[in-house]
Amino acid sequence: MIPGVSIAPDIPLDAVQSKNIVVIHPGSLNLRIGRASDLNPVTVLHAVARRRKPGGQAYSDTFLPDRTGLSHTKELEESRLAISHTLQSCLQSDGRRRYATPPQQIAAFNRRVQPEIVGDTGGDWVKFEGDTIIGNDIFRLSPDEMFNIHFPYKRGDFNIHSGPGGSMTSVLADLETIWTYIIETNLQISRKELKAFKAVLIVPDVYNRTYLRELMYLLLGSMGFGSCFLVQDHVSATFGSGLAYACVIDVGDQKTSVSCVEDGICHPNTRVRLEYGGGDITQIFYWLLQKCAFPYKECDEQNKLDSMLLRKLKEELCHVNLDVCGSQEKSFTLKQPQKPICHFTIQVGDECIIAPLSLFNPELFAITGSKQIHTQKISTGDPEDPHDEIYLRDIRKKGMKEESSANELNESFLESQQVGNDDDIVVDAMDPVINQSVKEFVINPGQILGLDQAVLQSIDRCPNEDLKRKMYGCVLVVGGGMKFSGIGTWLQNRISLQIPYLYRAEQLDIITNPRDMDPSMVAWKGACIMSCLETAQELWIEAVEWEKYGVRVLRERAPFTW
């Protein structure tokens, strides 16, 4: 409880406690942060700009994933045509066939477009005095200034790289700088007061144990929170949606993750993280616009303001509504510092549908380079934890061997010694964590796993038939990267066609905006709800406990399999 706060008799205790809890949801593009009592979180750019020392090396993380695969133009074009032909074979809701305006015709219109100047200038760049700029202020920073820009997260995890600011120490320092500034500035909580506050940190469903340990040190040590706990994003998404179980799809800006959650447990074997998201769809959409002679010719996806314009165009123009056919006339206004304010009118066609459908035809994601699949890895041990799971597994093996030797005759014991390897295999096979590592997500060599395939394979890795049946009956879509009208229906159709016969009796339910909430805020809201539950009281890890026991207390107290 906050020191010095008296509770009025008509105010419930948890309402006061919720004001005392800060919920942090870090992402590759945006940070969502707020008190558990807030209706919505503060959403800011999750980045920091640091002034370069004279002669220092220049470095800037990009605001969109880099376009590195344009050498594969032939393959990209084949993928585009494949989606285009699929759309032409579809019917509208009234039964009529769809038609499409050829890109050449749309390009001919766009080439004739001249921007209409509607204002003198979009303002001036802001001159910053300090050495550090955080969040949305970076958009107002002149590109000519001597600043390096760092995003601490990339593709859904720590942005570790070989350039300046790419070490884990630097990433943690950036996180501390950003989070502390936003808490002080937007939540009006001074750093000295943090020891009276609790923190809930939303972490990825596919996590790196070392990173989680360092984040605990950051929250309870460096920043000075009184206590905290970690919750996986897919688990908090089910809490935010009011669901007991779901196959959760979380599409962010730079990653897409899928896993099956039941009763607050995210099954380790079902987790997969794919290295594509809303930012990659933006790049595909920009490539398609360029093929149609995009009239804003100076547009540069490396420019931070142009990248945000492209994101805005994607969000406003892209959809999966098959009733929209032919060319559509749209407009947008370009307002940037030290440039005239211009109004553009453009024509767009099926490009607005093809870009979102790249989630199901992932060959188009080659435009932003090769993609890796991440699944939950078995722990290889922790030097800080002398009683980690490897130690416990060895003790269990030793106990079983001693019991075996006590009960068996000397001869059979000697025989078992000769096949000691088999003994290991038998014991390990009984360990559910070991057993879960056997089945890998399957993709063809050189290909990228599509969203529908990721869902089908994730559900297939559930431990029993009843759970698989439940997961086919409830698929939850969250995150800010897949907010396209009609895409839920397309996903439903794609999965329905491929569901194993055994589960076809189930009604496939795709939930794309649970409780009429913004899908990008569902996980944050779920963590707020979870933190105020009576059952969550045993999850809190106090700063003094962490200082005394370290990672051991996390293994005992974490609400997921450590």
Side-chain angles (χ1 to χ4, degrees):
M1 196 177 298
I2 307 172
V5 174
S6 58
I7 304 171
D10 56 338
I11 299 175
L13 180 63
D14 60 350
V16 175
Q17 287 178 334
S18 64
K19 287 184 168 62
N20 198 22
I21 298 169
V22 176
V23 178
I24 305 169
H25 187 188
S28 303
L29 178 69
N30 290 319
L31 166 69
R32 291 180 176 83
I33 188 168
R35 297 173 192 254
S37 56
D38 294 343
L39 185 63
N40 292 314
V42 174
T43 303
V44 296
L45 189 73
H46 199 194
V48 58
R50 297 187 183 279
R51 193 179 295 276
R52 246 188 339 267
K53 291 177 181 171
Q57 188 179 342
Y59 178 85
S60 179
D61 284 318
T62 55
F63 285 69
L64 279 174
D66 285 323
R67 290 167 75 173
T68 56
L70 285 177
S71 55
H72 306 291
T73 311
K74 187 183 174 189
E75 291 90 333
L76 290 171
E77 188 58 28
E78 284 173 359
S79 301
R80 184 192 72 80
L81 285 170
I83 302 174
S84 194
H85 291 149
T86 302
L87 289 172
Q88 285 177 31
S89 66
C90 293
L91 300 176
Q92 298 179 57
S93 56
D94 58 8
R96 290 184 299 168
R97 288 186 72 86
R98 288 192 84 255
Y99 61 89
T101 306
Q104 298 87 343
Q105 189 175 323
I106 293 173
F109 174 91
N110 287 339
R111 282 193 194 95
R112 295 195 299 271
V113 169
Q114 293 298 321
E116 179 189 350
I117 297 174
V118 293
D120 293 337
T121 177
D124 290 311
W125 298 106
V126 175
K127 185 79 175 171
F128 292 94
E129 298 299 326
D131 292 336
T132 308
I133 302 161
I134 292 160
N136 296 345
D137 285 343
I138 293 172
F139 290 124
R140 302 187 294 157
L141 174 69
S142 170
D144 299 330
E145 293 279 351
M146 305 286 281
F147 278 84
N148 287 352
I149 298 173
H150 303 279
F151 283 85
Y153 274 71
K154 183 179 182 181
R155 297 292 183 197
D157 222 333
F158 279 12
N159 184 12
I160 307 288
H161 56 85
S162 58
S167 67
M168 193 192 298
T169 309
S170 300
V171 168
L172 291 163
D174 289 344
L175 289 173
E176 183 180 351
T177 302
I178 297 167
W179 296 356
T180 305
Y181 176 82
I182 300 301
I183 287 169
E184 289 184 335
T185 308
N186 296 74
L187 305 188
Q188 307 291 305
I189 303 168
S190 74
R191 187 158 187 160
K192 290 177 184 174
E193 292 177 288
L194 286 182
K195 61 178 177 292
F197 283 80
K198 301 177 175 184
V200 179
L201 180 65
I202 300 172
V203 299
D205 60 317
V206 179
Y207 56 82
N208 180 313
R209 288 172 180 81
T210 305
Y211 296 171
L212 297 198
R213 186 187 69 212
E214 294 302 325
L215 286 167
M216 289 292 291
Y217 277 117
L218 172 64
L219 291 168
L220 296 176
S222 306
M223 291 179 70
F225 277 101
S227 60
C228 80
F229 73 80
L230 308 178
V231 58
Q232 290 170 297
D233 47 9
H234 289 196
V235 171
S236 56
T238 58
F239 271 91
S241 311
L243 299 171
Y245 59 86
C247 176
V248 181
I249 301 169
D250 184 350
V251 184
D253 187 69
Q254 294 183 17
K255 68 102 176 87
T256 295
S257 54
V258 180
S259 75
C260 296
V261 179
E262 180 191 31
D263 297 331
I265 299 296
C266 178
H267 289 275
N269 207 28
T270 65
R271 301 174 201 164
V272 62
R273 186 170 78 233
L274 310 164
E275 290 188 336
Y276 55 74
D280 301 86
I281 296 172
T282 303
Q283 283 285 28
I284 292 166
F285 187 50
Y286 179 44
W287 174 68
L288 294 168
L289 287 176
Q290 286 178 309
K291 290 179 73 64
C292 296
F294 187 49
Y296 174 33
K297 296 179 178 61
E298 297 79 25
C299 184
D300 175 12
E301 81 272 10
Q302 298 294 324
N303 177 313
K304 58 177 182 276
L305 295 180
D306 284 346
S307 74
M308 298 315 284
L309 170 70
L310 291 170
R311 264 197 185 89
K312 186 166 175 280
L313 287 176
K314 175 201 69 178
E315 289 165 5
E316 290 177 355
L317 304 183
C318 287
H319 61 88
V320 189
N321 182 354
L322 299 181
D323 288 347
V324 177
C325 305
S327 60
Q328 308 290 314
E329 212 164 280
K330 304 289 181 181
S331 62
F332 66 92
T333 302
L334 178 73
K335 184 179 180 182
Q336 294 186 6
Q338 297 178 352
K339 284 185 181 179
I341 303 171
C342 297
H343 188 77
F344 288 88
T345 302
I346 62 167
Q347 269 192 8
V348 287
D350 275 357
E351 295 76 27
C352 299
I353 304 180
I354 291 171
L357 291 187
S358 55
L359 287 164
F360 310 101
N361 298 74
E363 294 79 17
L364 280 175
F365 287 127
I367 197 168
T368 50
S370 60
K371 305 285 183 289
Q372 285 186 308
I373 283 186
H374 300 272
T375 53
Q376 191 61 55
K377 298 291 184 283
I378 297 166
S379 172
T380 53
D382 190 329
E384 285 196 20
D385 185 2
H387 298 95
D388 62 14
E389 53 274 29
I390 290 178
Y391 168 82
L392 295 174
R393 202 154 57 230
D394 288 345
I395 289 293
R396 193 157 61 242
K397 285 181 192 177
K398 189 178 175 185
M400 290 180 74
K401 285 180 181 177
E402 284 174 359
E403 189 181 335
S404 167
S405 65
N407 295 339
E408 290 178 8
L409 296 170
N410 198 37
E411 274 184 317
S412 58
F413 175 71
L414 289 170
E415 285 173 11
S416 71
Q417 286 293 91
Q418 290 169 357
V419 286
N421 288 340
D422 289 345
D423 207 14
D424 283 358
I425 292 166
V426 172
V427 177
D428 276 353
M430 294 175 71
D431 192 317
V433 179
I434 294 291
N435 211 24
Q436 283 169 350
S437 68
V438 176
K439 201 173 181 183
E440 288 297 329
F441 280 79
V442 181
I443 54 166
N444 294 328
Q447 289 194 340
I448 302 168
L449 191 66
L451 183 58
D452 50 342
Q453 285 299 313
V455 171
L456 288 159
Q457 292 195 37
S458 176
I459 295 175
D460 185 49
R461 290 156 62 94
C462 286
N464 58 62
E465 301 301 320
D466 281 346
L467 189 57
K468 290 179 188 180
R469 196 168 273 110
K470 284 161 77 172
M471 292 303 154
Y472 277 120
C474 185
V475 177
L476 171 66
V477 180
V478 295
M482 196 171 145
K483 294 194 283 188
F484 306 108
S485 65
I487 200 159
T489 307
W490 190 276
L491 175 63
Q492 188 167 14
N493 293 337
R494 288 287 295 232
I495 295 176
S496 297
L497 291 170
Q498 302 171 77
I499 289 181
Y501 185 74
L502 186 63
Y503 311 109
R504 293 211 169 163
E506 286 301 314
Q507 175 65 43
L508 180 62
D509 191 13
I510 309 279
I511 303 164
T512 50
N513 57 337
R515 295 180 169 182
D516 296 325
M517 222 186 303
D518 182 341
S520 63
M521 295 184 186
V522 171
W524 181 86
K525 183 60 84 175
C528 294
I529 295 166
M530 189 175 172
S531 68
C532 297
L533 295 175
E534 201 173 315
T535 49
Q537 300 313 307
E538 61 197 43
L539 298 176
W540 294 108
I541 296 171
E542 304 287 334
V544 288
E545 288 180 294
W546 182 256
E547 193 176 342
K548 186 175 180 182
Y549 299 110
V551 77
R552 282 177 288 166
V553 73
L554 186 58
R555 176 166 53 78
E556 296 295 331
R557 205 82 59 81
F560 47 86
T561 310
W562 183 256

